[in-house]
Amino acid sequence: MDIKITIIDREGEAHLVDAPTDMNMNLMEVCKMHELPVEGTCGGMAMCASCHCYILDKAHVLQEKSYDEEDMLDQAFFVEDNSRLGCQIPITKELDGMEIKLAPQAD
């Protein structure tokens, strides 16, 4: 079953994308699948912040940040209260309708 997620890119353009709930994917992989500018340099291990995003709604349905995710966000740029690493957010049916925004890249 697919759900819909709105991803706002770094230029402010909103993309309504399909995200499969039956393929054990995470938010970073969904961004990459739809060719949005998310690198995922570490392959989803919470060891880089290239999938850093802001959760604009439905944050209450997400699992708590792991120690590794907290640690990585402590070292990231442009961190806000609603910052998360996309690789640490599994795609579940509860995320249907969620809206996120990609964080600016630190170059």
Side-chain angles (χ1 to χ4, degrees), residues 28-96:
M28 174 201 72
E29 292 166 329
V30 169
C31 288
K32 290 176 75 142
M33 180 174 91
H34 291 284
E35 298 181 356
L36 291 164
V38 171
E39 287 177 37
T41 311
C42 75
M45 304 297 292
M47 295 172 69
C48 74
S50 63
C51 64
H52 177 200
C53 62
Y54 305 116
I55 306 301
L56 302 182
D57 65 1
K58 293 193 176 259
H60 64 282
V61 302
L62 300 178
Q63 60 199 24
E64 292 291 313
K65 292 178 197 156
S66 68
Y67 173 80
D68 289 340
E69 183 178 5
E70 288 273 12
D71 193 45
M72 192 63 247
L73 285 170
D74 282 346
Q75 302 170 47
F77 295 96
F78 312 113
V79 174
E80 304 288 341
D81 289 343
N82 61 343
S83 287
R84 292 296 300 258
L85 297 179
C87 69
Q88 300 300 298
I89 299 175
I91 300 300
T92 61
K93 63 182 184 324
E94 290 77 22
L95 302 187
D96 192 30

